[in-house]
Amino acid sequence: MSGGSLIALKEDAIDGNAGSNGNVNQQTHQQQQQQPQQNGPSSGSASSAPAEGTRQNSLQRIQQRKQKVFNLPISQKLAKLSMYSACQAEGCRCTGWKTPQENRHRDVESSYCPEFNEECRNTNCRHTLQSHIAHLDGISGVEMNNLLGAIIDMENLFMSMQRVDDEDTKKVYLYLFRLLRQCVITRQQAVIRGPLGDPPFESPCIAKAVYSFVFYKYHHLSPNELQTMTEVAKTFLNFLNHYNFEPPSLRKADLKNEDASTYKINYTRWLVFCHVPAFCNSLRHFETSLVFGRTLLRTVFQYMAQQLKKKCISERDRFPADKRSIITQMPKFLEALKGELLKDESPIWDQTYRPPSAFLMQQRKRQQDTATNVSGTVNNANGKRANIGEPIHKRPKKDVDRNSGDSNYEDLPDETVIRAMKAVSESKAINKTEILFPVNVSRDENVKAEEQQRAIEFHVVGNSLTKPVDKETILWLLGLQSVFAHQLPEMPREYISQLVFDTKHKTLALIKENMPIGGICFRPFPSQGFTEIVFCAVTMSEQVKGYGTHLMNHLKDYSIQKGVLHLLTYADCDAIGYFKKQGFSKDIKLARPVYAGFIKEYDGATLMHCELHPSIVNTQFISVIRRQSEILKELIAERHNEVQKVRPGLTCFKEGLPSIPVESIPGLRDIGWKPQTRAPRTSRPLEESTDPEKLAASFAAVLQAVRHHASAWPFLKPVTAAEVPDYYDHIKYPMDLKTMADRLKRGYYVTRRLFMADMAHIFSNCRFYNSPETEYYRCANNLERYFQTKMRELGLWDK
């Protein structure tokens, strides 16, 4: 296995310049060149990937260094942070405090602890260290450690850039280095945004498809054989999650142009979301098998399968005897999986394919059992991993991934859903008023009806300089120019005409009676992953009919078809409300470098953003949600009717039965009741006894022994007001051994809790009223210990 190099570990001090311009001092460079590469091959090497032990060693060494920094004195921590903090002095542009010349080769992580009044070595700064950390006053210890952890990750990334040869990998490391650098400056958590998109990148994911493959191919086997194949699948997925992919520069000869382009994107995603975060826990980590799908697996399967087979052969003797069946079955498993991977119609890659719930529950139970035995990493419910030593508040939330087959959700049987759909349809057919006057009808419902009747049409039109444009398109563009000019009077007509007829812009036209009555002019930027909306308008006479909503839904579907999942627009104050209703927000999730310099900016307007989901058909979204809501209400009504069923009363008591088991009551299980199983308690057999005389005899024996103890004399009878006048002013619940004997005779102590509570009152009252140096206080302590000993002898004490 070859591919992107593992993250290099910092073993030498990095000069303060690394915080400002990314330069490491000459001494560190020389030491790096002399060090052997212990953390895996450089990018582009043909050697195999490091073993899991090496990976764990690297993680442990990184964490050990972080822990060492976390344990430094506050002054050294602040000195470390100052090297990456901009000078707070007015007018100063220094981006990080630089160690004075005489100490420039010393490291604050070891023995060097600079004074706060030491001046920065930068000739343009010359301000003290205190000026670089003035903004850190009041920072909590947790936040300080988070920033220091990000700095260590950033330094490791910087050193990796020096060691890696592949330019694509180096660019990714540089991007992540700058991202962490900016997060340290702004004291914010690192969030990766941009054209790479957000995980998961494909559905179904590899993990879900592989578990579906196990059921699809091996469900006929015996339970033991099926479990073996499941273990084989888990071994394959674990190997994939730790596989180091080759950089695109080494795969160009093996891939076609289109496949090479796709692989380059996936390789970058793998580096950013899977590989680097495994070592830099300042970034959120994702497992490769949970965020990638068929496209990536097809590209790397051949080489990965060869490496896995070799690894199985080389490590066969290291496997326990009961696990060697995994090695035996692995080649057959890989060949069968390869067939399903290359087969276009394989059901395992169908998003709707789902093994039975019983099979999924078995897989989940096995994964949970395995997770409890794994050391070094913590596996949560959906297979994601929290790195060793990662702060709890930084670990990703345990999101439930329903696609991975590892969840508590169970889909309803198809028969139940079909029955509910049929009931909804019959109910609509009976209730004519619901059809004539629908409740809460969506804004674009009437527009969709007009579209189905061909009363209106939607067309994407645009001008061209390379091929002839038909007369109808030119007329529509002229009509759209007129609509935009009338509805947007503040926009110059020349500017509108320039954009509508520009060859780089397109317009989604709403045509009614062969005339445009509205449209959206937009410009796509496929390379940047977004579309810019320039103009959006509907003629005055056709407004408030839902045309604007349906126009935007058509544009969203058009963008999704083209693979563009982000819409951006500058909205004036009158249009902000409209765009909010269409799912736009002022919270821009795209990084500014993605769109800055591409999108046209307008004074007095607000930039708004809409992120599209590739699985949603927006023109049908409202009706689908409405349909799902109706089906859900029908299912709830069916369940309610079952629960509310009136059952006949019980007649068994009239026939002479004194009692019946609770679970035999009709309908109790139907409402979700389950019997509570409780193991019998062997430590307190007397309390569980139904014989009150036996329990009372035990209490009498304890009480008799306590009364005859040498320290019992202060507690034999109640305290009188004549002897201690203010006793009852302080003690609200008095108790003594004589009173307890009287209560025992009356049958008051039916449980050990009552007996123990009264005895505890005797001792607590004594300690509350008397000081610790008194004889009474010492008697209470001695007698309490004796009482507990006697209770343990009879099995009545569990504290």
Side-chain angles (χ1 to χ4, degrees), residues 186-206:
T186 60
R187 294 166 58 181
Q188 295 179 350
Q189 189 173 353
V191 178
I192 299 172
R193 293 172 177 168
L196 287 177
D198 298 320
F201 305 109
E202 197 171 353
S203 182
C205 66
I206 297 174

Side-chain angles (χ1 to χ4, degrees), residues 708-740:
H708 286 85
H709 192 270
S711 298
W713 62 268
F715 316 111
L716 294 176
K717 60 182 181 179
V719 177
T720 63
E723 296 174 345
V724 187
D726 64 338
Y727 184 80
Y728 291 98
D729 295 336
H730 300 281
I731 303 302
K732 303 302 179 185
Y733 302 101
M735 186 54 59
D736 62 279
L737 297 176
K738 182 178 183 301
T739 303
M740 289 188 65

Side-chain angles (χ1 to χ4, degrees), residues 263-487:
Y263 179 74
K264 184 174 182 179
I265 295 173
N266 284 330
Y267 175 78
T268 305
R269 288 170 170 171
W270 170 75
L271 279 178
V272 170
F273 293 101
C274 303
H275 179 66
V276 174
F279 298 87
C280 301
N281 57 17
S282 301
L283 303 169
R284 184 176 177 184
H285 177 261
F286 295 88
E287 296 287 6
T288 305
S289 61
L290 293 178
V291 296
F292 291 100
R294 187 178 194 177
T295 304
L296 177 67
L297 189 60
R298 268 185 170 180
T299 310
V300 302
F301 185 82
Q302 179 179 353
Y303 296 94
M304 192 181 72
Q306 292 175 359
Q307 295 289 340
L308 181 53
K309 290 177 183 178
K310 292 179 181 177
K311 192 174 182 66
C312 289
I313 294 173
S314 63
E315 299 189 3
R316 177 183 179 86
D317 295 336
R318 295 174 57 187
F319 267 69
D322 57 336
K323 295 291 186 182
R324 289 183 182 174
S325 57
I326 298 176
I327 303 296
T328 306
Q329 296 295 334
M330 182 61 73
K332 300 177 183 178
F333 176 88
L334 293 174
E335 287 300 320
L337 181 59
K338 180 180 178 181
E340 298 301 321
L341 186 62
L342 299 177
K343 190 188 302 181
D344 292 333
E345 302 300 327
S346 175
I348 71 171
W349 301 103
D350 185 356
Q351 296 186 31
T352 60
Y353 180 79
R354 186 177 179 86
S357 301
F359 177 78
L360 296 179
M361 294 297 288
Q362 290 177 1
Q363 303 299 324
R364 182 171 63 86
K365 185 176 184 303
R366 287 171 185 156
Q367 289 181 1
Q368 290 176 346
D369 293 342
T370 304
T372 58
N373 299 324
V374 175
S375 61
T377 59
V378 180
N379 293 332
N380 59 25
N382 58 359
K384 295 179 181 177
R385 184 181 63 192
N387 288 325
I388 303 172
E390 183 177 0
I392 294 177
H393 70 282
K394 297 275 285 183
R395 296 177 187 172
K397 296 180 180 178
K398 295 186 177 180
D399 304 324
V400 179
D401 184 2
R402 300 190 62 179
N403 294 330
S404 66
D406 185 19
S407 65
N408 293 323
Y409 293 97
E410 294 187 24
D411 287 344
L412 292 171
D414 293 341
E415 298 78 9
T416 303
V417 178
I418 292 173
R419 185 175 67 250
M421 293 174 63
K422 184 178 180 181
V424 171
S425 301
E426 291 176 353
S427 175
K428 285 187 175 182
I430 295 173
N431 190 1
K432 299 295 183 182
T433 58
E434 180 69 20
I435 299 175
L436 296 175
F437 306 102
V439 179
N440 297 328
V441 63
S442 61
R443 290 176 57 84
D444 64 342
E445 200 67 36
N446 294 329
V447 182
K448 288 164 62 177
E450 289 186 49
E451 186 179 10
Q452 291 175 355
Q453 298 167 6
R454 305 300 297 273
I456 58 174
E457 296 178 350
F458 294 86
H459 297 275
V460 176
V461 295
N463 198 10
S464 176
L465 299 176
T466 58
K467 58 182 179 181
V469 182
D470 58 86
K471 181 180 178 181
E472 187 177 46
T473 300
I474 294 296
L475 291 175
W476 285 350
L477 290 174
L478 288 169
L480 289 165
Q481 181 223 15
S482 178
V483 171
F484 292 142
H486 281 89
Q487 298 304 126

Side-chain angles (χ1 to χ4, degrees), residues 139-194:
I139 186 174
S140 66
V142 173
E143 187 178 359
M144 182 180 294
N145 287 344
N146 290 340
L147 291 174
L148 290 169
I151 288 174
I152 295 172
D153 290 339
M154 183 174 60
E155 290 176 349
N156 286 335
L157 275 170
F158 181 82
M159 294 183 66
S160 296
M161 282 190 291
Q162 312 304 315
R163 296 183 176 182
V164 73
D165 297 326
D166 181 69
E167 290 300 323
D168 294 325
T169 306
K170 186 173 293 189
K171 288 178 182 178
V172 175
Y173 285 170
L174 179 59
Y175 163 73
L176 294 175
F177 171 84
R178 289 174 174 171
L179 175 66
L180 290 178
R181 179 77 177 91
Q182 186 64 25
C183 291
V184 170
I185 293 175
T186 60
R187 294 166 58 181
Q188 295 179 350
Q189 189 173 353
V191 178
I192 299 172
R193 293 172 177 168

